[in-house]
Amino acid sequence: MTELHTARTNPPWEGLEGPERHAACVIAAREGHRGALDVLVAELTPLVWHVARGIGLDRAATEDVVQTVWLALLRHVEAITEPKAVVGWLLTTTRREARRTQTRGNGQVELSPEVAEHVPSTEPMPEAEALRSERDQQLWSAFHKLDQRCQELLRLTVLAGRAEYRVVAERLRMPHGSIGPTRMRCLSALRGLYHDGDGGR
């Protein structure tokens, strides 16, 4: 009886990784498992967020896109013919929704707190806002001078946090242990580019 109870309570994705884990969650969600979608949301939201931010949405617009994408998955989970392809479905849906949102917005990009950590905080006075805007532009200019891999790594790790380095490693096809050191080198390069452009004056 104990063994039967354990078999019923262990989630089907337990012990799985990568596409197999995500596929098991999709199948379980179709069968009405209450925790399956929560697992997908927890593990894949950083990737969805990264795609929306990469297109140029600000934080508020990105939050709306992420919510819309997960609601779309909830509505269309039965229509995903290949459960292992759920990540591709999410990214395609995110790009489509983000571009739709971008056409309705002003296209302004807000700096994430970690990337902008060395930009002094300012009071919301016109002069201070102008200064902050100038420094934001300088920092983003430095950011876009980084190689593509560094840009993607910084976006993912800033959003995902250390607890999600496994997901970042899978997304970038890098060894888990190299994420932290590579991240530090990318941040160091960003600071160098920022100061070379007189952003830190």
Side-chain angles (χ1 to χ4, degrees):
M1 178 68 81
T2 301
E3 292 180 358
L4 180 60
H5 178 71
T6 300
R8 286 179 175 174
T9 56
N10 284 346
W13 57 83
E14 186 173 300
L16 300 178
E17 294 185 359
E20 288 74 21
R21 179 178 174 86
H22 301 149
C25 288
V26 170
I27 294 169
R30 289 174 177 172
E31 296 172 350
H33 197 298
R34 296 181 62 181
L37 191 61
D38 291 340
V39 173
L40 290 174
V41 170
E43 296 188 1
L44 297 178
T45 289
L47 300 184
V48 174
W49 185 289
H50 162 68
V51 170
R53 290 287 291 212
I55 286 176
L57 300 182
D58 63 18
R59 186 174 297 274
T62 299
E63 289 174 353
D64 289 341
V65 167
V66 170
Q67 182 177 1
T68 299
V69 168
W70 286 118
L71 288 174
L73 178 63
L74 182 62
R75 289 195 300 269
H76 301 294
V77 67
E78 299 287 345
I80 298 178
T81 56
E82 178 47 68
K84 286 185 180 180
V86 65
V87 171
W89 186 95
L90 285 169
L91 298 184
T92 298
T93 304
T94 301
R95 291 188 190 99
R96 185 181 301 119
E97 182 62 27
R99 291 191 181 106
R100 183 181 300 119
T101 299
Q102 190 177 48
T103 62
R104 299 194 301 261
N106 56 22
Q108 292 181 346
V109 179
E110 177 188 356
L111 287 173
S112 63
E114 185 170 347
V115 173
E117 62 184 354
H118 57 286
V119 179
S121 61
T122 61
E123 295 297 325
M125 297 292 290
E127 297 84 357
E129 282 297 299
L131 178 60
R132 185 187 63 80
S133 177
E134 179 184 356
R135 287 176 173 168
D136 281 0
Q137 291 175 4
Q138 290 168 342
L139 186 55
W140 275 111
S141 176
F143 180 83
H144 290 298
K145 290 177 183 176
L146 294 170
D147 62 66
Q148 193 63 36
R149 196 167 185 79
C150 265
Q151 290 185 35
E152 190 169 12
L153 177 63
L154 288 179
R155 282 197 177 104
L156 284 170
T157 53
V158 166
L159 295 169
R162 293 184 183 277
E164 298 294 338
Y165 272 17
R166 178 181 59 78
V167 177
V168 176
E170 289 177 5
R171 174 70 175 84
L172 297 181
R173 298 179 181 177
M174 295 174 60
H176 182 281
S178 70
I179 297 294
T182 305
R183 178 176 179 272
M184 292 303 296
R185 287 195 294 271
C186 290
L187 283 171
S188 178
L190 175 62
R191 291 188 186 99
L193 289 167
Y194 177 76
H195 288 290
D196 287 347
D198 292 327
R201 65 182 181 273

